[in-house]
Amino acid sequence: MKHLLKKKLIIPLVVLTVLLTGSAFVKSDFFEIAKQIEIFTDLFKEVNMNYVDETNPADLMDTAIKSMLQDLDPYTNFMNEQDVEAARINNTGDYIGIGAKVRTLKDKLVIVEPYKDYPADKAGLKAGDEIIKVGNTLVESVKDDAGDLLKGSPGTTVDVTFKRQGKTQTATINRAEVEINAVPYFSMVNDKTGYIVLSRFSEKAAAQTNYAVRDLKAQGAKHLILDLRGNPGGLVNEAIDIVNIFVPKGQLVVTTKSKVKKYNRTYYTQKDPVDTDIPLVILIDGNSASASEIVSGSLQDLDRAVIVGSRSFGKGLVQRPKLLTYGTQVKITISRYYTPSGRCIQALDYWHRNEKGEAVRVKQENYNEFKTKNGRKVFDGGGILPDEIMTPSQNTALTNAIADDNLIFDFATDYYYKHKIDNIDTFKLTDADFTNFKNYLKANQFSFETQTEKALKNAFEAAKKESFDDDIKTDYNTLVSHLNQSKIKALDENKSYLLDQLTDEIVKRYVYREGLYDYLKTHDPEIRKATDILGSPSAYLEYLR
């Protein structure tokens, strides 16, 4: 008993000692935090000692921690040892394994994209292949991440059994060290315009972007296009150094503000630039986030680049990992970041949620106006708004639902095995192909429940309980029918966007990602628009006035 009492006293004292080292708490916080930790310690002990069935303390704690954090924001999260290793791989771009992007499902591992000339590709695996057995282990029998079965030291082999279009096949993969480039592609669009794809802000991002800029200039590039579409962000220092390629040393790029004073930072460029005059267009879309928005937002504020595309994601929050015991970490949102004009472009408000507990978008009427270096108006609150806006999808909820169900991916797989394409440069999906895609959605029982449908269903269920359903049943069925017609119409309204997504996925099947970028150089409307802007000095300067 004395031993237990001693332990109970020690825990709050240790916590208080740790908390006293911080400067963001007032005295009232100390007691409340110590009190809640003591309550939780007692609860955790009692549950594990007395629950009717065997419990797993590690699993219970993992659930408790993640449940606690989910009410904050999606970026503040706990990382166990496996998560920490995954984050290391993501930041460095180094991956030892089969050289493919893999989706883990309950009973199979799906090859999403084999990297050209890496082990999976050399073994003959293709996008859409479903690995059902690794060595002698069935994927469906693995409780943890079955993708770990594919990992191993360079030079070792792994046998896989997979299904392709319903037929079972086998392959032996020779594992190797795989380098995932931050800049997977760069080349000339025409004799004066260079094109660079920056897909991630890993530790190699700035160095590889710097190399690409210098190489393209050596090839004769007089203008540059930097493609940040689909780039989810990454390391802030890499973003600073990439901005530094195009602006002088000593330029303010981003400021972070926090309730903890030591996290308040101002980031300036530290190096000599490569070229402060070369005309630059940056491409962004709704999946360009975080560090992508620092680069595009700061260069927009400094009137150093013209931004083309659709509004960016809107992530103005900064995270920092904190080391915990036993090799674990917690990644905490510690501050907001602000571009040189002073704007924070955070789009979702996680601290004032709706009645369903969902984060809401900052309303446009609540945006604040700021000025660029040349006095142009820019706004906070909703991501980076391009200087030249290209039409995004009209119903992102619908298109996201289709993508989340992997139906674009699966349709592309079927298309690849049913069509032979001799010249990918002339490839173009037709109206008939789009009709086939809609039929494919129907055949695969794609269902998308709108918020309106959910509200109607809830209202009708309430009417049943109150015995009003007979009176409104006909009207309810009519409304549901009209909604279904609206969803069919929404598919047609998003035809252009969906065809673009299908085209990208299909082209990759024939010529890998490198071939896709070659294809996009001549077919992509954003790249064409960027090329046109850069081709006219007066038009380019007009955007920046």
Side-chain angles (χ1 to χ4, degrees):
M1 185 70 182
K2 287 183 179 179
H3 180 66
L4 283 176
L5 182 60
K6 186 177 179 181
K7 286 179 69 176
K8 286 175 66 175
L9 288 170
I10 287 174
I11 291 171
L13 286 172
V14 170
V15 172
L16 278 172
T17 301
V18 173
L19 291 176
L20 284 166
T21 63
S23 59
F25 295 97
V26 295
K27 288 184 178 180
S28 60
D29 291 326
F30 297 150
F31 173 74
E32 188 61 29
I33 292 172
K35 171 186 170 183
Q36 297 304 324
I37 288 177
E38 185 174 2
I39 291 171
F40 179 79
T41 302
D42 283 347
L43 180 148
F44 187 67
K45 179 193 68 178
E46 295 297 339
V47 168
N48 279 284
M49 290 177 64
N50 299 305
Y51 188 71
V52 63
D53 294 322
E54 286 296 321
T55 58
N56 185 317
D59 288 344
L60 282 178
M61 183 60 76
D62 201 59
T63 301
I65 292 171
K66 290 178 179 177
S67 296
M68 174 180 67
L69 298 179
Q70 70 180 3
D71 284 340
L72 300 178
D73 63 62
Y75 314 111
T76 297
N77 48 60
F78 171 70
M79 293 184 285
N80 58 32
E81 291 175 272
Q82 291 77 21
D83 296 331
V84 171
E85 176 63 11
R88 185 198 67 79
I89 292 170
N90 185 55
N91 281 339
T92 63
D94 295 327
Y95 177 79
I96 296 174
I98 68 169
K101 186 181 292 183
V102 178
R103 183 188 308 123
T104 303
L105 301 178
K106 184 162 55 175
D107 58 345
K108 59 192 173 186
L109 300 169
V110 180
I111 301 294
V112 174
E113 181 183 354
Y115 302 134
K116 186 178 181 181
D117 295 331
Y118 279 111
D121 181 41
K122 290 179 178 179
L125 290 174
K126 297 182 179 295
D129 288 348
E130 301 174 350
I131 298 174
I132 56 175
K133 188 163 70 170
V134 180
N136 295 318
T137 304
L138 288 171
V139 172
E140 64 182 7
S141 69
V142 180
K143 293 182 180 180
D144 297 322
D145 187 357
D148 291 340
L149 297 172
L150 298 173
K151 296 178 181 178
S153 302
T156 61
T157 62
V158 58
D159 296 323
V160 296
T161 303
F162 64 95
K163 287 186 177 180
R164 176 183 294 169
Q165 297 290 284
K167 296 181 180 179
T168 301
Q169 302 183 44
T170 60
T172 298
I173 306 171
N174 295 307
R175 296 187 182 99
E177 187 167 338
V178 178
E179 181 179 353
I180 303 172
N181 288 319
V183 176
Y185 181 90
F186 66 91
S187 72
M188 299 292 288
V189 175
N190 54 39
D191 60 348
K192 291 185 178 180
T193 307
Y195 173 63
I196 303 169
V197 178
L198 177 59
S199 63
R200 63 182 66 211
F201 285 84
S202 65
E203 292 174 354
K204 302 172 184 176
Q208 291 184 354
T209 304
N210 189 309
Y211 176 85
V213 170
R214 293 178 183 276
D215 191 283
L216 291 171
K217 281 170 60 70
Q219 293 183 48
K222 306 299 180 185
H223 331 113
L224 290 174
I225 301 170
L226 179 61
D227 195 340
L228 297 179
R229 291 176 296 177
N231 187 323
L235 301 174
V236 173
N237 288 336
E238 294 297 308
I240 310 300
D241 287 345
I242 287 169
V243 172
N244 198 171
I245 293 171
F246 305 106
V247 303
K249 181 192 294 186
Q251 172 63 55
L252 174 66
V253 176
V254 66
T255 302
T256 62
K257 297 179 183 179
S258 169
K259 71 174 184 180
V260 181
K261 289 184 179 180
K262 69 177 180 179
Y263 296 144
N264 294 339
R265 298 282 183 85
T266 51
Y267 293 89
Y268 294 85
T269 52
Q270 302 290 324
K271 304 173 183 177
D272 292 325
V274 175
D275 194 324
T276 60
D277 297 316
I278 190 168
L280 175 66
V281 168
I282 297 178
L283 305 181
I284 61 173
D285 64 10
N287 293 316
S288 303
S290 188
S292 292
E293 294 172 301
I294 290 175
V295 170
S296 56
S298 61
L299 290 175
Q300 184 182 50
D301 283 1
L302 298 171
D303 295 303
R304 181 61 188 86
V306 173
I307 314 300
V308 172
S310 52
R311 189 186 290 275
S312 65
F313 182 82
K315 181 179 181 291
L317 304 175
V318 181
Q319 287 71 46
R320 172 170 291 192
K322 294 285 189 178
L323 297 178
L324 305 176
T325 55
Y326 299 105
T328 62
Q329 292 184 15
V330 59
K331 187 172 68 172
I332 305 175
T333 295
I334 59 167
S335 55
R336 292 177 175 85
Y337 75 76
Y338 299 80
T339 62
S341 67
R343 56 181 169 148
C344 178
I345 47 77
Q346 176 65 24
L348 289 174
D349 187 347
Y350 296 105
W351 301 272
H352 300 89
R353 298 173 183 253
N354 61 22
E355 62 278 3
K356 298 176 183 177
E358 300 167 332
V360 295
R361 293 192 70 86
V362 178
K363 294 181 180 179
Q364 190 166 346
E365 57 263 31
N366 294 328
Y367 291 175
N368 297 298
E369 180 183 308
F370 296 83
K371 295 290 180 67
T372 69
K373 187 176 181 180
N374 290 342
R376 294 187 298 141
K377 293 180 181 179
V378 288
F379 299 88
D380 64 3
I384 303 299
L385 184 67
D387 303 306
E388 177 64 40
I389 302 171
M390 307 292 280
T391 305
S393 59
Q394 298 188 21
N395 189 327
T396 54
L398 173 66
T399 54
N400 286 343
I402 292 172
D404 290 344
D405 281 359
N406 300 310
L407 291 167
I408 290 174
F409 178 86
D410 292 340
F411 181 84
T413 300
D414 284 355
Y415 190 98
Y416 173 76
Y417 288 107
K418 292 176 180 176
H419 296 81
K420 181 181 179 182
I421 299 178
D422 294 322
N423 184 4
I424 201 69
D425 288 336
T426 60
F427 173 70
K428 184 177 176 62
L429 289 172
T430 64
D431 290 343
D433 290 319
F434 188 66
T435 299
N436 289 338
F437 178 64
K438 290 193 290 185
N439 292 334
Y440 183 84
L441 295 180
K442 186 176 181 180
N444 284 273
Q445 300 179 324
F446 170 68
S447 61
F448 168 61
E449 188 176 43
T450 64
Q451 292 298 323
T452 306
E453 282 177 293
K454 291 177 183 178
L456 278 174
K457 187 182 290 184
N458 291 336
F460 189 65
E461 290 300 319
K464 279 184 180 181
K465 292 178 182 178
E466 297 172 356
S467 301
F468 292 137
D469 52 310
D470 288 340
D471 298 330
I472 66 172
K473 189 171 184 179
T474 300
D475 290 337
Y476 172 76
N477 289 335
T478 300
L479 284 170
V480 170
S481 176
H482 287 165
L483 274 171
N484 287 330
Q485 291 299 316
S486 296
K487 286 195 285 188
I488 294 172
K489 183 181 177 182
L491 279 173
D492 292 327
E493 289 174 345
N494 287 276
K495 177 181 176 180
S496 177
Y497 175 82
L498 289 168
L499 283 177
D500 286 344
Q501 298 301 303
L502 287 166
T503 298
D504 288 358
E505 194 61 52
I506 290 169
V507 169
K508 276 194 300 183
R509 304 306 173 93
Y510 292 92
V511 290
Y512 300 91
R513 183 167 291 274
E514 294 84 352
L516 171 62
Y517 293 131
D518 280 329
Y519 177 88
L520 292 176
K521 281 196 306 184
T522 55
H523 294 82
D524 182 77
E526 280 83 2
I527 295 176
R528 286 203 302 268
K529 184 64 178 179
T531 305
D532 290 343
I533 292 171
L534 290 168
S536 170
S538 60
Y540 176 81
L541 290 174
E542 187 62 32
Y543 281 101
L544 302 178
R545 290 196 178 109

